[in-house]
Amino acid sequence: QFTLKESGPSVVKPTQTLTLTCTFSGFSLTTPGVGVGWIRQPPGKALEWLAVIYWDDDKRYSPSLKGRLTIMKDTAKNQVVLTMSNMDPLDTGTYFCAHRLGSWFEPWGQGAPVTVSS
Amino acid sequence: DIQMTQSPSSVSASVGDRVTITCRASQDISNWLAWYQQRPGKAPKLLIYAASSLYGGVPSRFSGGGSGTDFTLTISSLQPEDFATYYCQQANTYPFTFGQGTRLEI
């Protein structure tokens, strides 16, 4: 059984850098084909894919946010870290990490709510 | 980016009804499409992958179809737990993109 859980600050100030950690169990990011992605959801709005990292350290980012995003893995700790720089109130929302199953995302973590406010 | 457009944005239905949601891609994505269900305050769950394959444990009343640019999600007989928001997602090309969601209401 795969489980994932997001952790990080619930409030950040504008212009600050957000650091979120996804801690997972039941699978390894050293296994070929495995990936972990990040997806966010502004309040009352649709899902937006942010980034994904694979077992071979291949990384892909959303072009609209590239330059602000960095994704990294720590295989020893079974963690994936996402940083997003220069936070803006428009970045407020719930941030999910998810196991990449083939080309799809399942399961997902419970989500981490983030509010950007001074 | 590939744009994913769902219709309708919301639909009202009753228990036992048959409902179909559509998703259109702005370019050919073959069968690289998934459907997710999201209940209020919860994380999305995978229902259908590769356009028409039912994910393990998902009830058989859910079915998916289509290829290329036009796709459908059909729920054959609505149950109370099916009232939720549904999203399509393309995995043909980075960046992966989601539809805007279809809210299924009583």
Side-chain angles (χ1 to χ4, degrees), chain A residues 9-16 18 20 39-48 50 65 68 84-96 112-118:
Chain A
S10 58
V11 181
V12 296
K13 290 180 168 49
T15 75
Q16 286 187 336
L18 170 70
L20 293 170
I39 302 100
R40 71 176 178 179
Q41 185 171 39
K45 296 190 176 181
L47 301 164
E48 179 185 12
L50 300 178
L65 292 168
R68 296 180 57 203
M84 181 181 293
S85 62
N86 195 25
M87 292 292 283
D88 181 272
L90 290 175
D91 296 314
T92 292
T94 298
Y95 287 72
F96 297 97
V114 177
T115 300
V116 184
S117 174
S118 53

mmCIF file of all heavy atoms in Angstrom, chain A residues 9-16 18 20 39-48 50 65 68 84-96 112-118:
data_model
loop_
_atom_site.group_PDB
_atom_site.id
_atom_site.type_symbol
_atom_site.label_atom_id
_atom_site.label_comp_id
_atom_site.label_asym_id
_atom_site.label_seq_id
_atom_site.Cartn_x
_atom_site.Cartn_y
_atom_site.Cartn_z
ATOM 1 N N PRO A 9 4.863 24.804 5.737
ATOM 2 C CA PRO A 9 4.176 25.917 6.391
ATOM 3 C C PRO A 9 2.784 26.130 5.820
ATOM 4 O O PRO A 9 2.557 25.955 4.623
ATOM 5 C CB PRO A 9 5.087 27.109 6.094
ATOM 6 C CG PRO A 9 5.772 26.747 4.826
ATOM 7 C CD PRO A 9 5.957 25.265 4.870
ATOM 8 N N SER A 10 1.858 26.521 6.677
ATOM 9 C CA SER A 10 0.502 26.793 6.207
ATOM 10 C C SER A 10 0.347 28.252 5.761
ATOM 11 O O SER A 10 -0.583 28.580 5.028
ATOM 12 C CB SER A 10 -0.521 26.478 7.296
ATOM 13 O OG SER A 10 -0.243 27.229 8.452
ATOM 14 N N VAL A 11 1.273 29.111 6.212
ATOM 15 C CA VAL A 11 1.237 30.515 5.820
ATOM 16 C C VAL A 11 2.646 30.971 5.441
ATOM 17 O O VAL A 11 3.607 30.671 6.160
ATOM 18 C CB VAL A 11 0.704 31.412 6.959
ATOM 19 C CG1 VAL A 11 0.666 32.870 6.501
ATOM 20 C CG2 VAL A 11 -0.682 30.956 7.405
ATOM 21 N N VAL A 12 2.740 31.644 4.321
ATOM 22 C CA VAL A 12 4.003 32.272 3.918
ATOM 23 C C VAL A 12 3.698 33.703 3.491
ATOM 24 O O VAL A 12 2.573 34.017 3.077
ATOM 25 C CB VAL A 12 4.725 31.518 2.788
ATOM 26 C CG1 VAL A 12 5.148 30.138 3.234
ATOM 27 C CG2 VAL A 12 3.858 31.453 1.543
ATOM 28 N N LYS A 13 4.702 34.547 3.580
ATOM 29 C CA LYS A 13 4.536 35.946 3.181
ATOM 30 C C LYS A 13 4.874 36.116 1.697
ATOM 31 O O LYS A 13 5.672 35.357 1.146
ATOM 32 C CB LYS A 13 5.432 36.843 4.032
ATOM 33 C CG LYS A 13 5.010 36.975 5.484
ATOM 34 C CD LYS A 13 5.956 37.878 6.254
ATOM 35 C CE LYS A 13 5.416 38.274 7.608
ATOM 36 N NZ LYS A 13 4.915 37.164 8.404
ATOM 37 N N PRO A 14 4.266 37.117 1.062
ATOM 38 C CA PRO A 14 4.639 37.405 -0.330
ATOM 39 C C PRO A 14 6.146 37.620 -0.463
ATOM 40 O O PRO A 14 6.780 38.185 0.434
ATOM 41 C CB PRO A 14 3.870 38.693 -0.632
ATOM 42 C CG PRO A 14 2.693 38.638 0.274
ATOM 43 C CD PRO A 14 3.183 37.984 1.535
ATOM 44 N N THR A 15 6.682 37.134 -1.568
ATOM 45 C CA THR A 15 8.095 37.148 -1.957
ATOM 46 C C THR A 15 8.921 36.057 -1.260
ATOM 47 O O THR A 15 10.043 35.792 -1.688
ATOM 48 C CB THR A 15 8.811 38.503 -1.734
ATOM 49 O OG1 THR A 15 9.070 38.696 -0.346
ATOM 50 C CG2 THR A 15 8.000 39.659 -2.302
ATOM 51 N N GLN A 16 8.377 35.409 -0.241
ATOM 52 C CA GLN A 16 9.122 34.341 0.420
ATOM 53 C C GLN A 16 9.161 33.085 -0.448
ATOM 54 O O GLN A 16 8.430 32.964 -1.438
ATOM 55 C CB GLN A 16 8.507 34.009 1.780
ATOM 56 C CG GLN A 16 8.782 35.039 2.852
ATOM 57 C CD GLN A 16 8.307 34.602 4.229
ATOM 58 O OE1 GLN A 16 7.398 33.765 4.368
ATOM 59 N NE2 GLN A 16 8.915 35.167 5.274
ATOM 60 N N LEU A 18 8.531 29.043 -0.583
ATOM 61 C CA LEU A 18 7.783 27.952 0.036
ATOM 62 C C LEU A 18 8.562 26.655 -0.140
ATOM 63 O O LEU A 18 9.043 26.361 -1.247
ATOM 64 C CB LEU A 18 6.412 27.819 -0.627
ATOM 65 C CG LEU A 18 5.581 26.586 -0.261
ATOM 66 C CD1 LEU A 18 5.101 26.685 1.183
ATOM 67 C CD2 LEU A 18 4.400 26.426 -1.220
ATOM 68 N N LEU A 20 7.955 22.615 0.539
ATOM 69 C CA LEU A 20 7.034 21.548 0.899
ATOM 70 C C LEU A 20 7.739 20.202 0.787
ATOM 71 O O LEU A 20 8.509 19.978 -0.142
ATOM 72 C CB LEU A 20 5.815 21.542 -0.023
ATOM 73 C CG LEU A 20 4.865 22.734 0.092
ATOM 74 C CD1 LEU A 20 3.846 22.709 -1.046
ATOM 75 C CD2 LEU A 20 4.163 22.734 1.435
ATOM 76 N N ILE A 39 0.952 18.689 -7.528
ATOM 77 C CA ILE A 39 -0.212 19.302 -8.176
ATOM 78 C C ILE A 39 -0.823 20.255 -7.146
ATOM 79 O O ILE A 39 -0.849 19.953 -5.949
ATOM 80 C CB ILE A 39 -1.254 18.237 -8.553
ATOM 81 C CG1 ILE A 39 -0.642 17.175 -9.485
ATOM 82 C CG2 ILE A 39 -2.480 18.865 -9.201
ATOM 83 C CD1 ILE A 39 -0.233 15.880 -8.800
ATOM 84 N N ARG A 40 -1.304 21.415 -7.597
ATOM 85 C CA ARG A 40 -1.928 22.333 -6.658
ATOM 86 C C ARG A 40 -3.346 22.669 -7.088
ATOM 87 O O ARG A 40 -3.739 22.436 -8.233
ATOM 88 C CB ARG A 40 -1.114 23.612 -6.496
ATOM 89 C CG ARG A 40 -1.137 24.535 -7.699
ATOM 90 C CD ARG A 40 -0.368 25.819 -7.402
ATOM 91 N NE ARG A 40 -0.335 26.720 -8.550
ATOM 92 C CZ ARG A 40 0.262 27.907 -8.545
ATOM 93 N NH1 ARG A 40 0.897 28.334 -7.441
ATOM 94 N NH2 ARG A 40 0.240 28.663 -9.620
ATOM 95 N N GLN A 41 -4.096 23.248 -6.132
ATOM 96 C CA GLN A 41 -5.493 23.578 -6.390
ATOM 97 C C GLN A 41 -5.860 24.843 -5.624
ATOM 98 O O GLN A 41 -6.008 24.809 -4.399
ATOM 99 C CB GLN A 41 -6.393 22.413 -5.973
ATOM 100 C CG GLN A 41 -7.847 22.618 -6.323
ATOM 101 C CD GLN A 41 -8.649 21.357 -6.081
ATOM 102 O OE1 GLN A 41 -8.440 20.630 -5.102
ATOM 103 N NE2 GLN A 41 -9.575 21.082 -6.977
ATOM 104 N N PRO A 42 -6.000 25.970 -6.323
ATOM 105 C CA PRO A 42 -6.491 27.185 -5.654
ATOM 106 C C PRO A 42 -7.887 26.941 -5.102
ATOM 107 O O PRO A 42 -8.615 26.080 -5.616
ATOM 108 C CB PRO A 42 -6.513 28.224 -6.784
ATOM 109 C CG PRO A 42 -5.592 27.682 -7.824
ATOM 110 C CD PRO A 42 -5.723 26.198 -7.744
ATOM 111 N N PRO A 43 -8.278 27.697 -4.087
ATOM 112 C CA PRO A 43 -9.599 27.474 -3.481
ATOM 113 C C PRO A 43 -10.725 27.542 -4.506
ATOM 114 O O PRO A 43 -10.839 28.529 -5.246
ATOM 115 C CB PRO A 43 -9.708 28.622 -2.467
ATOM 116 C CG PRO A 43 -8.300 28.996 -2.165
ATOM 117 C CD PRO A 43 -7.533 28.751 -3.418
ATOM 118 N N GLY A 44 -11.523 26.505 -4.578
ATOM 119 C CA GLY A 44 -12.670 26.463 -5.478
ATOM 120 C C GLY A 44 -12.332 26.352 -6.956
ATOM 121 O O GLY A 44 -13.214 26.504 -7.800
ATOM 122 N N LYS A 45 -11.066 26.076 -7.259
ATOM 123 C CA LYS A 45 -10.659 26.037 -8.671
ATOM 124 C C LYS A 45 -10.118 24.671 -9.060
ATOM 125 O O LYS A 45 -10.120 23.736 -8.277
ATOM 126 C CB LYS A 45 -9.644 27.142 -8.935
ATOM 127 C CG LYS A 45 -10.216 28.544 -8.753
ATOM 128 C CD LYS A 45 -9.263 29.602 -9.248
ATOM 129 C CE LYS A 45 -9.900 30.977 -9.142
ATOM 130 N NZ LYS A 45 -8.996 32.047 -9.655
ATOM 131 N N ALA A 46 -9.636 24.597 -10.292
ATOM 132 C CA ALA A 46 -9.214 23.318 -10.856
ATOM 133 C C ALA A 46 -7.798 22.939 -10.421
ATOM 134 O O ALA A 46 -7.044 23.739 -9.867
ATOM 135 C CB ALA A 46 -9.289 23.380 -12.379
ATOM 136 N N LEU A 47 -7.438 21.708 -10.723
ATOM 137 C CA LEU A 47 -6.108 21.183 -10.443
ATOM 138 C C LEU A 47 -5.106 21.734 -11.445
ATOM 139 O O LEU A 47 -5.423 21.919 -12.626
ATOM 140 C CB LEU A 47 -6.136 19.657 -10.530
ATOM 141 C CG LEU A 47 -7.101 18.956 -9.575
ATOM 142 C CD1 LEU A 47 -7.324 17.510 -10.014
ATOM 143 C CD2 LEU A 47 -6.577 19.005 -8.142
ATOM 144 N N GLU A 48 -3.892 21.971 -10.972
ATOM 145 C CA GLU A 48 -2.810 22.463 -11.829
ATOM 146 C C GLU A 48 -1.557 21.653 -11.550
ATOM 147 O O GLU A 48 -1.061 21.626 -10.423
ATOM 148 C CB GLU A 48 -2.534 23.944 -11.570
ATOM 149 C CG GLU A 48 -1.401 24.508 -12.413
ATOM 150 C CD GLU A 48 -1.046 25.950 -12.065
ATOM 151 O OE1 GLU A 48 -1.511 26.458 -11.019
ATOM 152 O OE2 GLU A 48 -0.284 26.573 -12.843
ATOM 153 N N LEU A 50 2.292 20.814 -11.389
ATOM 154 C CA LEU A 50 3.447 21.677 -11.153
ATOM 155 C C LEU A 50 4.761 21.057 -11.602
ATOM 156 O O LEU A 50 5.559 21.688 -12.305
ATOM 157 C CB LEU A 50 3.551 22.004 -9.655
ATOM 158 C CG LEU A 50 2.364 22.723 -9.012
ATOM 159 C CD1 LEU A 50 2.619 22.916 -7.536
ATOM 160 C CD2 LEU A 50 2.098 24.048 -9.711
ATOM 161 N N LEU A 65 5.560 28.101 -14.543
ATOM 162 C CA LEU A 65 6.152 28.351 -13.233
ATOM 163 C C LEU A 65 7.643 28.042 -13.198
ATOM 164 O O LEU A 65 8.288 28.189 -12.149
ATOM 165 C CB LEU A 65 5.456 27.506 -12.160
ATOM 166 C CG LEU A 65 4.018 27.900 -11.872
ATOM 167 C CD1 LEU A 65 3.330 26.829 -11.038
ATOM 168 C CD2 LEU A 65 3.952 29.238 -11.147
ATOM 169 N N ARG A 68 10.678 29.300 -10.947
ATOM 170 C CA ARG A 68 10.290 29.454 -9.551
ATOM 171 C C ARG A 68 10.303 28.118 -8.819
ATOM 172 O O ARG A 68 10.303 28.093 -7.593
ATOM 173 C CB ARG A 68 8.884 30.064 -9.455
ATOM 174 C CG ARG A 68 8.764 31.468 -10.004
ATOM 175 C CD ARG A 68 7.331 31.963 -9.867
ATOM 176 N NE ARG A 68 6.915 31.896 -8.464
ATOM 177 C CZ ARG A 68 5.640 31.823 -8.073
ATOM 178 N NH1 ARG A 68 4.664 31.820 -8.959
ATOM 179 N NH2 ARG A 68 5.336 31.774 -6.792
ATOM 180 N N MET A 84 9.167 26.639 -4.081
ATOM 181 C CA MET A 84 8.586 27.619 -4.983
ATOM 182 C C MET A 84 8.976 28.996 -4.472
ATOM 183 O O MET A 84 8.632 29.367 -3.341
ATOM 184 C CB MET A 84 7.059 27.482 -5.050
ATOM 185 C CG MET A 84 6.398 28.472 -6.010
ATOM 186 S SD MET A 84 4.593 28.320 -6.071
ATOM 187 C CE MET A 84 4.435 26.717 -6.815
ATOM 188 N N SER A 85 9.697 29.724 -5.319
ATOM 189 C CA SER A 85 10.213 31.021 -4.892
ATOM 190 C C SER A 85 9.234 32.145 -5.210
ATOM 191 O O SER A 85 8.271 31.972 -5.950
ATOM 192 C CB SER A 85 11.548 31.295 -5.590
ATOM 193 O OG SER A 85 11.356 31.357 -6.995
ATOM 194 N N ASN A 86 9.501 33.305 -4.619
ATOM 195 C CA ASN A 86 8.749 34.511 -4.913
ATOM 196 C C ASN A 86 7.229 34.300 -4.830
ATOM 197 O O ASN A 86 6.492 34.605 -5.773
ATOM 198 C CB ASN A 86 9.139 35.056 -6.287
ATOM 199 C CG ASN A 86 8.678 36.470 -6.516
ATOM 200 O OD1 ASN A 86 8.478 37.232 -5.566
ATOM 201 N ND2 ASN A 86 8.499 36.848 -7.771
ATOM 202 N N MET A 87 6.799 33.790 -3.688
ATOM 203 C CA MET A 87 5.380 33.475 -3.515
ATOM 204 C C MET A 87 4.509 34.719 -3.595
ATOM 205 O O MET A 87 4.899 35.823 -3.168
ATOM 206 C CB MET A 87 5.166 32.763 -2.186
ATOM 207 C CG MET A 87 5.779 31.376 -2.141
ATOM 208 S SD MET A 87 4.957 30.215 -3.234
ATOM 209 C CE MET A 87 3.477 29.860 -2.280
ATOM 210 N N ASP A 88 3.320 34.524 -4.152
ATOM 211 C CA ASP A 88 2.348 35.589 -4.388
ATOM 212 C C ASP A 88 1.000 35.135 -3.835
ATOM 213 O O ASP A 88 0.745 33.928 -3.779
ATOM 214 C CB ASP A 88 2.258 35.843 -5.895
ATOM 215 C CG ASP A 88 1.286 36.950 -6.243
ATOM 216 O OD1 ASP A 88 0.082 36.658 -6.417
ATOM 217 O OD2 ASP A 88 1.737 38.112 -6.327
ATOM 218 N N PRO A 89 0.127 36.052 -3.451
ATOM 219 C CA PRO A 89 -1.199 35.620 -2.981
ATOM 220 C C PRO A 89 -1.929 34.702 -3.972
ATOM 221 O O PRO A 89 -2.728 33.861 -3.546
ATOM 222 C CB PRO A 89 -1.936 36.947 -2.791
ATOM 223 C CG PRO A 89 -0.853 37.898 -2.386
ATOM 224 C CD PRO A 89 0.346 37.498 -3.207
ATOM 225 N N LEU A 90 -1.666 34.831 -5.269
ATOM 226 C CA LEU A 90 -2.286 33.947 -6.251
ATOM 227 C C LEU A 90 -1.813 32.497 -6.140
ATOM 228 O O LEU A 90 -2.407 31.594 -6.737
ATOM 229 C CB LEU A 90 -2.032 34.454 -7.670
ATOM 230 C CG LEU A 90 -2.763 35.743 -8.057
ATOM 231 C CD1 LEU A 90 -2.315 36.202 -9.440
ATOM 232 C CD2 LEU A 90 -4.270 35.558 -8.022
ATOM 233 N N ASP A 91 -0.743 32.270 -5.377
ATOM 234 C CA ASP A 91 -0.245 30.908 -5.150
ATOM 235 C C ASP A 91 -0.947 30.221 -3.983
ATOM 236 O O ASP A 91 -0.636 29.070 -3.651
ATOM 237 C CB ASP A 91 1.262 30.930 -4.899
ATOM 238 C CG ASP A 91 2.052 31.429 -6.099
ATOM 239 O OD1 ASP A 91 1.763 30.977 -7.228
ATOM 240 O OD2 ASP A 91 2.944 32.275 -5.905
ATOM 241 N N THR A 92 -1.881 30.910 -3.360
ATOM 242 C CA THR A 92 -2.660 30.319 -2.276
ATOM 243 C C THR A 92 -3.455 29.124 -2.785
ATOM 244 O O THR A 92 -4.064 29.185 -3.859
ATOM 245 C CB THR A 92 -3.616 31.365 -1.679
ATOM 246 O OG1 THR A 92 -2.843 32.362 -1.006
ATOM 247 C CG2 THR A 92 -4.589 30.738 -0.691
ATOM 248 N N GLY A 93 -3.452 28.049 -2.014
ATOM 249 C CA GLY A 93 -4.207 26.866 -2.404
ATOM 250 C C GLY A 93 -3.740 25.634 -1.648
ATOM 251 O O GLY A 93 -2.958 25.738 -0.705
ATOM 252 N N THR A 94 -4.240 24.492 -2.072
ATOM 253 C CA THR A 94 -3.823 23.212 -1.493
ATOM 254 C C THR A 94 -2.835 22.552 -2.443
ATOM 255 O O THR A 94 -3.076 22.469 -3.649
ATOM 256 C CB THR A 94 -5.038 22.305 -1.263
ATOM 257 O OG1 THR A 94 -5.923 22.939 -0.332
ATOM 258 C CG2 THR A 94 -4.600 20.963 -0.690
ATOM 259 N N TYR A 95 -1.722 22.105 -1.875
ATOM 260 C CA TYR A 95 -0.657 21.478 -2.646
ATOM 261 C C TYR A 95 -0.640 19.978 -2.347
ATOM 262 O O TYR A 95 -0.534 19.576 -1.187
ATOM 263 C CB TYR A 95 0.687 22.125 -2.303
ATOM 264 C CG TYR A 95 0.821 23.515 -2.887
ATOM 265 C CD1 TYR A 95 0.081 24.594 -2.371
ATOM 266 C CD2 TYR A 95 1.667 23.767 -3.965
ATOM 267 C CE1 TYR A 95 0.169 25.855 -2.915
ATOM 268 C CE2 TYR A 95 1.769 25.032 -4.522
ATOM 269 C CZ TYR A 95 1.012 26.069 -3.992
ATOM 270 O OH TYR A 95 1.109 27.333 -4.547
ATOM 271 N N PHE A 96 -0.767 19.189 -3.408
ATOM 272 C CA PHE A 96 -0.799 17.730 -3.296
ATOM 273 C C PHE A 96 0.474 17.131 -3.894
ATOM 274 O O PHE A 96 0.962 17.605 -4.923
ATOM 275 C CB PHE A 96 -1.967 17.133 -4.084
ATOM 276 C CG PHE A 96 -3.340 17.539 -3.632
ATOM 277 C CD1 PHE A 96 -4.018 18.578 -4.275
ATOM 278 C CD2 PHE A 96 -3.988 16.863 -2.618
ATOM 279 C CE1 PHE A 96 -5.296 18.948 -3.903
ATOM 280 C CE2 PHE A 96 -5.268 17.221 -2.226
ATOM 281 C CZ PHE A 96 -5.910 18.270 -2.867
ATOM 282 N N ALA A 112 -1.699 19.790 1.385
ATOM 283 C CA ALA A 112 -1.209 20.760 2.366
ATOM 284 C C ALA A 112 -1.733 22.133 1.980
ATOM 285 O O ALA A 112 -1.369 22.659 0.915
ATOM 286 C CB ALA A 112 0.309 20.763 2.407
ATOM 287 N N PRO A 113 -2.588 22.735 2.812
ATOM 288 C CA PRO A 113 -3.091 24.086 2.498
ATOM 289 C C PRO A 113 -2.019 25.129 2.744
ATOM 290 O O PRO A 113 -1.331 25.093 3.770
ATOM 291 C CB PRO A 113 -4.276 24.253 3.447
ATOM 292 C CG PRO A 113 -3.996 23.318 4.574
ATOM 293 C CD PRO A 113 -3.183 22.200 4.046
ATOM 294 N N VAL A 114 -1.876 26.039 1.795
ATOM 295 C CA VAL A 114 -0.893 27.115 1.895
ATOM 296 C C VAL A 114 -1.596 28.442 1.607
ATOM 297 O O VAL A 114 -2.287 28.577 0.593
ATOM 298 C CB VAL A 114 0.257 26.905 0.896
ATOM 299 C CG1 VAL A 114 1.227 28.082 0.957
ATOM 300 C CG2 VAL A 114 0.993 25.595 1.181
ATOM 301 N N THR A 115 -1.420 29.391 2.510
ATOM 302 C CA THR A 115 -1.950 30.740 2.318
ATOM 303 C C THR A 115 -0.792 31.703 2.203
ATOM 304 O O THR A 115 0.143 31.659 3.014
ATOM 305 C CB THR A 115 -2.855 31.148 3.495
ATOM 306 O OG1 THR A 115 -3.953 30.235 3.583
ATOM 307 C CG2 THR A 115 -3.389 32.561 3.304
ATOM 308 N N VAL A 116 -0.848 32.539 1.173
ATOM 309 C CA VAL A 116 0.175 33.569 0.996
ATOM 310 C C VAL A 116 -0.432 34.902 1.413
ATOM 311 O O VAL A 116 -1.348 35.418 0.776
ATOM 312 C CB VAL A 116 0.671 33.630 -0.450
ATOM 313 C CG1 VAL A 116 1.818 34.642 -0.572
ATOM 314 C CG2 VAL A 116 1.116 32.259 -0.931
ATOM 315 N N SER A 117 0.080 35.424 2.500
ATOM 316 C CA SER A 117 -0.482 36.661 3.047
ATOM 317 C C SER A 117 0.552 37.355 3.914
ATOM 318 O O SER A 117 1.335 36.697 4.607
ATOM 319 C CB SER A 117 -1.727 36.348 3.875
ATOM 320 O OG SER A 117 -2.202 37.509 4.529
ATOM 321 N N SER A 118 0.525 38.663 3.855
ATOM 322 C CA SER A 118 1.437 39.439 4.695
ATOM 323 C C SER A 118 0.835 39.666 6.078
ATOM 324 O O SER A 118 1.503 40.195 6.959
ATOM 325 C CB SER A 118 1.740 40.777 4.032
ATOM 326 O OG SER A 118 0.555 41.461 3.707
#
